[in-house]
Amino acid sequence: TVEGRESLQKLYQLLEAKGFQTRMEGVALLLDLCKTSPQLISSNIVQIFDRFVLRINDTHKKVKQQALEVLAEMVGLLEDALTPVMIRLMEGITKNLNSKDPGVHAAA
């Protein structure tokens, strides 16, 4: 639908933004869309997670921590829909297990 495409475009713009606060908005929007439009997310999972994985490894620790926390919630919401992106997600999470930041490490 047009509304779905517009939501995805907004999501992509936010996740790829230069400002860390805007990227955090994108992470929050992704969680909201998982709750309100799981079919939209499931249907576009690879394209979405191409961008979301970047936030799991974001250079800004607040974005990274929020992305990891949101991912934990998304797993329960999306379940089997995550299968096509599971390897990339595991790689992203694993990189954060060695984080010196206690919040990032705990979220991973």
Side-chain angles (χ1 to χ4, degrees):
T1 66
V2 172
E3 185 178 310
R5 281 195 300 272
E6 288 174 357
S7 294
L8 289 176
Q9 279 306 114
K10 180 178 181 182
L11 176 65
Y12 297 157
Q13 288 171 350
L14 292 173
L15 288 174
E16 295 174 334
K18 290 186 182 190
F20 83 92
Q21 291 170 321
T22 307
R23 294 192 306 271
M24 289 179 73
E25 287 178 37
V27 171
L29 176 59
L30 177 56
L31 179 59
D32 184 54
L33 289 172
C34 287
K35 292 176 180 177
T36 60
S37 305
Q39 185 59 43
L40 175 67
I41 301 302
S42 298
S43 301
N44 297 281
I45 197 84
V46 173
Q47 300 89 324
I48 292 167
F49 276 77
D50 282 349
R51 293 161 174 93
F52 180 68
V53 168
L54 299 173
R55 300 300 56 96
I56 291 174
N57 295 305
D58 201 281
T59 55
H60 198 283
K61 69 180 181 180
K62 287 183 180 180
V63 177
K64 187 184 304 191
Q65 183 175 343
Q66 182 185 9
L68 289 164
E69 291 169 353
V70 163
L71 177 60
E73 283 190 66
M74 288 173 24
V75 168
L77 296 169
L78 298 177
E79 298 174 349
D80 293 339
L82 292 172
T83 302
V85 294
M86 194 57 69
I87 292 172
R88 293 202 54 219
L89 284 176
M90 295 310 297
E91 290 170 351
I93 294 166
T94 303
K95 289 178 185 177
N96 288 300
L97 289 174
N98 294 326
S99 176
K100 290 176 177 47
D101 182 272
V104 171
H105 180 79

